[in-house]
Amino acid sequence: MTASVTKITLNVSTADEQIARFAACAIVLAVIESGIPSPIPGFKPGLANIVTLIALQRLGWSAAAWVSMLRILGSSLVLGGVFSPGFALSLAGGVASVLALALVQYLPQRYFGLVTWSLCSALAHLVGQLLIARLWLIPHNGILVLIPLLLAMAIIFGVVNGLIATHLLRTYPAVDTTQ
């Protein structure tokens, strides 16, 4: 018997490669972040969202949406939480966050930058997660007691992540890969 050879040619664009690289970085950060102890179960600082902000700034909203959704699916696969309640919370927060970024990217950049984008994204993520938690996982008003603490943490980490993304973009300018 002879071995059969199947040759598949994929046409991968530079943008696709960049999205894959950003998504891989975001997945690594999400997996690392999952090992950090948290005072509130399930709460994370959202370090992977820094990568999404950089993708938004460099490649646009569509690429940022891909990076965010690939990160949610990829990290859930790696951590073994696909289709779990945590996955549902992450997906709801991610979708809300990406939708918020779709809106805030059109704010005048003279007054609103990555820190504002990050803050709006973090707050939208919190709203998305709270909606799923209240409507599906914990159908009780007791969850509302956590809102002030979660809101404060979302504001703090939204600002911090925006500042980190801004610093990284200034320190490491985009490299032209078309040559």
Side-chain angles (χ1 to χ4, degrees):
M1 292 183 116
T2 61
S4 66
V5 177
T6 304
K7 185 175 181 179
I8 299 174
T9 304
L10 296 175
N11 294 328
V12 180
S13 70
T14 304
D16 291 339
E17 288 177 5
Q18 289 176 325
I19 290 169
R21 285 188 182 108
F22 280 130
C25 290
I27 291 168
V28 167
L29 283 174
V31 170
I32 289 170
E33 190 176 65
S34 72
I36 299 172
S38 173
I40 298 173
F43 184 83
K44 299 174 203 164
L47 298 176
N49 294 327
I50 295 168
V51 178
T52 303
L53 290 168
I54 293 170
L56 176 66
Q57 183 70 33
R58 290 202 174 151
L59 303 174
W61 180 82
S62 177
W66 273 107
V67 168
S68 182
M69 294 302 116
L70 287 170
R71 186 239 333 141
I72 291 167
L73 182 60
S75 62
S76 294
L77 284 169
V78 170
L79 297 170
V82 178
F83 306 122
S84 68
F87 174 76
L89 288 170
S90 184
L91 184 61
V95 168
S97 175
V98 166
L99 291 175
L101 289 175
L103 297 174
V104 299
Q105 71 176 340
Y106 295 110
L107 293 173
Q109 288 192 12
R110 180 176 181 191
Y111 304 109
F112 304 99
L114 280 179
V115 175
T116 308
W117 294 358
S118 179
L119 182 59
C120 291
S121 175
L123 293 173
H125 196 278
L126 174 63
V127 169
Q129 287 189 328
L130 283 174
L131 282 173
I132 290 296
R134 173 62 181 88
L135 296 175
W136 178 45
L137 297 173
I138 307 170
H140 185 274
N141 287 336
I143 195 169
L144 302 177
V145 173
L146 294 174
I147 289 178
L149 177 62
L150 293 173
L151 187 61
M153 293 175 88
I155 290 170
I156 290 167
F157 287 118
V159 169
V160 168
N161 290 344
L163 290 171
I164 292 170
T166 301
H167 174 73
L168 290 172
L169 283 167
R170 287 184 183 154
T171 305
Y172 304 103
V175 178
D176 185 15
T177 57
T178 58
Q179 297 176 5

